Amino acid sequence: MRSFSFQTMRTRLAVIAGLSVFLVLAGSGVAAAVWTSAASVAGSVTAATTSLTVGGANALDTQYAFAGDASHSPTIVRTLVIKNTGTAPLGYTLSISGIAGNTLAGSVTLTLWTSTGTCPSTGVGAGSGATTGTLASPPALPSGALSAAPGASFTLCVSTALNTTIVGSQGLTVTPTFTITGTVGTSTWTASAPDATFTQTVYRMANPTSLTCSPGKSDKTVTLSWTAPVGYGSTGNVSYQVVDTAGTLIQAQPGGQTTVSIGSKDVNSTPGTLFVQAKEDLYGSTSPGVSITLGQQGNKIFCP
Amino acid sequence: MSAERGAIQRMFSIRSILKALAAVSVALFVGVVATGGTYALWNSSVKIGGGTVKAGAATLVISRALTMSSTLLYPGLTTYGASEVTNSGDVPLQLNLQSLTGVTSNGFTQNLTVSVAVAPSASASVADCPALSSYPWSRVATAPTAGSLGTTLSAGASATLCVSTSLASNAPAAAQGQSAPSFTLTVGGTQP
């Protein structure tokens, strides 16, 4: 028979006690403790900002004038440097304002392309990937100008050219404002440089100056005299014409002559207003005209 | 003498032990339930001889500090950071994200989502974080309720903790330049 010591008895008593406690705790449904631990990490995160700069747009100020033998104006090319000065990547778009209802805006061709260097000073052909529209209907930015990483910049060549003759648009003016907007994705995070406004005008012959009236050899005529516009001598490529308020030609003076005799029969109303215009001979640009109103009584005509 | 030993043997036979065990358990159970109180009333003791019991420990430590990307956030962008957590205790621990603190509510943080995941590979780096299939804990920074990280870390094991921060694509422009300059993530471990 196996011996049964008090040591064995004591061990079994310990087992009984331990199991009893376990069963009670497990079976009572009362909360039981679990071991836990925790540790922390720290970090930081900051949002980006958007901003950009556009340099050079004001250099597009120009007047379309005669260029050599061409009847059209030269193509004006200017360099815009667009830089993403923020800390987020930007997608760019171009919009032009200030052109609503402007007749000239649709007559100025606008061409855009990107360049790795300096843009040509005159229109010698747009670079590859160029986009073309008008000031009234601007083209999309070329592919190389659609986006930029933070800190990146690129050169955008901008050319403008009149797509009508000088005479066809003479005297017209347009003052567009270029706005290049940078946007982060499709978000409301945008940036734009201070609006770049410039003025373009189409050359028109200047009026003669110093228009004077003096009695003619009889009281049936008067003599009008004037001075040639600045830049045109008395023998330059300029002629003069006298028209009435309806634009009907009354007298023409070719070859730079700066006097004309007006008779009472030349005036259709009392008093009669006439305009003396200077006309550029080569391309036909005509000045608006300097007005003078003559008195009339019967077949007599008087200076004002 | 032999009769006395036989009686003692009968008293401590297996059947007797089971009966005694059942009786004591029922008695204790009834006592605990009936009182509705706490275990504080337990003040009796049983002397146990012949054995040594040593308590274990649950210890979770950050073995590599969190390094977040220095890239500034903008709408639609997610950046990542990584840390390492080590179970230096004696029991496996189920990991959870207990809290995100130190975040001031503003236009930026209201549109900032912070997500945490445990990389499957202990040797993973921050470069592996973008490829994780899911981030079990993902909260807007201003409403960071606790939640599970879906991972149990064995005793003595380490794991790479991936932290991502995302700015909503419709975050307002006013959020530009704002920040959460010093947030704290507390990772907890619970014995399964």
Side-chain angles (χ1 to χ4, degrees):
Chain A
M1 176 175 287
R2 188 164 58 96
S3 67
F4 193 83
S5 68
F6 283 101
Q7 180 67 32
T8 302
M9 291 165 53
R10 197 163 57 183
T11 300
R12 290 187 177 179
L13 279 172
V15 171
I16 291 170
L19 286 174
S20 298
V21 170
F22 171 78
L23 289 172
V24 167
L25 292 178
S28 65
V30 179
V34 292
W35 290 357
T36 64
S37 180
S40 298
V41 292
S44 66
V45 63
T46 302
T49 57
T50 57
S51 64
L52 65 90
T53 58
V54 177
N58 290 340
L60 281 164
D61 277 350
T62 190
Q63 182 184 64
Y64 290 104
F66 304 116
D69 294 332
S71 60
H72 287 67
S73 68
T75 297
I76 308 299
V77 182
R78 294 292 183 265
T79 299
L80 299 186
V81 178
I82 301 169
K83 182 172 186 179
N84 179 353
T85 55
T87 52
L90 295 175
Y92 293 122
T93 56
L94 167 68
S95 62
I96 299 178
S97 58
I99 41 80
N102 186 284
T103 304
L104 181 58
S107 300
V108 175
T109 297
L110 175 65
T111 303
L112 310 171
W113 70 97
T114 55
S115 172
T116 55
T118 304
C119 302
S121 58
T122 59
V124 292
S128 62
T131 57
T132 300
T134 65
L135 290 179
S137 181
L141 288 169
S143 59
L146 292 175
S147 62
S153 64
F154 59 85
T155 297
L156 181 67
C157 299
V158 180
S159 79
T160 56
L162 193 63
N163 58 30
T164 67
T165 62
I166 294 289
V167 174
S169 300
Q170 62 176 348
L172 297 179
T173 296
V174 63
T175 304
T177 296
F178 273 30
T179 300
I180 292 182
T181 301
T183 304
V184 179
T186 58
S187 74
T188 58
W189 288 29
T190 62
S192 60
D195 293 338
T197 300
F198 57 96
T199 297
Q200 296 193 320
T201 60
V202 180
Y203 175 82
R204 185 172 195 179
M205 187 68 181
N207 277 328
T209 61
S210 305
L211 176 62
T212 60
C213 177
S214 58
K217 294 179 180 179
S218 71
D219 57 3
K220 295 180 182 176
T221 63
V222 294
T223 299
L224 301 180
S225 302
W226 59 85
T227 301
V230 174
Y232 287 87
S234 60
T235 58
N237 294 327
V238 62
S239 60
Y240 302 95
Q241 59 190 24
V242 178
V243 299
D244 62 15
T245 53
T248 303
L249 180 64
I250 305 300
Q251 292 272 359
Q253 284 296 74
Q257 296 180 43
T258 56
T259 62
V260 67
S261 179
I262 299 294
S264 60
K265 62 180 174 41
D266 295 325
V267 180
N268 297 323
S269 60
T270 302
T273 298
L274 299 177
F275 295 89
V276 179
Q277 297 175 317
K279 182 178 182 181
E280 196 278 330
D281 286 342
L282 189 58
Y283 305 111
S285 176
T286 305
S287 74
V290 181
S291 67
I292 188 168
T293 300
L294 304 175
Q296 199 173 14
Q297 186 176 37
N299 59 356
K300 296 179 181 178
I301 190 168
F302 311 99
C303 287
Chain B
M1 189 65 179
S2 175
E4 181 181 348
R5 176 170 294 179
I8 292 174
Q9 283 179 332
R10 283 193 301 275
M11 180 183 303
F12 290 100
S13 67
I14 297 301
R15 174 176 292 180
S16 299
I17 289 172
L18 290 175
K19 285 181 179 177
L21 185 62
V24 172
S25 298
V26 169
L28 284 172
F29 177 77
V30 171
V32 168
V33 172
T35 59
T38 69
Y39 299 129
L41 294 176
W42 291 17
N43 55 8
S44 65
S45 64
V46 176
K47 290 183 179 178
I48 303 171
T52 300
V53 177
K54 183 179 180 182
T59 307
L60 200 60
V61 298
I62 299 300
S63 44
R64 188 173 74 237
L66 174 63
T67 302
M68 289 301 298
S69 168
S70 60
T71 301
L72 301 179
L73 278 177
Y74 53 82
L77 181 67
T78 299
T79 60
Y80 297 88
S83 177
E84 185 181 73
V85 61
T86 297
N87 179 355
S88 59
D90 304 304
V91 293
L93 294 173
Q94 285 180 338
L95 300 183
N96 58 79
L97 204 297
Q98 292 185 347
S99 65
L100 167 60
T101 58
V103 176
T104 301
S105 181
N106 56 36
F108 173 59
T109 57
Q110 289 165 6
N111 291 275
L112 177 67
T113 296
V114 179
S115 304
V116 180
V118 177
S121 169
S123 60
S125 68
V126 67
D128 301 308
C129 293
L132 296 185
S133 59
S134 68
Y135 279 71
W137 189 88
S138 185
R139 305 285 190 274
V140 174
T142 52
T145 55
S148 172
L149 290 177
T151 297
T152 298
L153 196 58
S154 303
S158 296
T160 296
L161 210 58
C162 287
V163 178
S164 78
T165 52
S166 305
L167 190 59
S169 58
N170 61 350
Q176 292 185 48
Q178 295 182 331
S179 65
S182 181
F183 64 81
T184 300
L185 288 164
T186 299
V187 179
T190 302
Q191 181 188 356

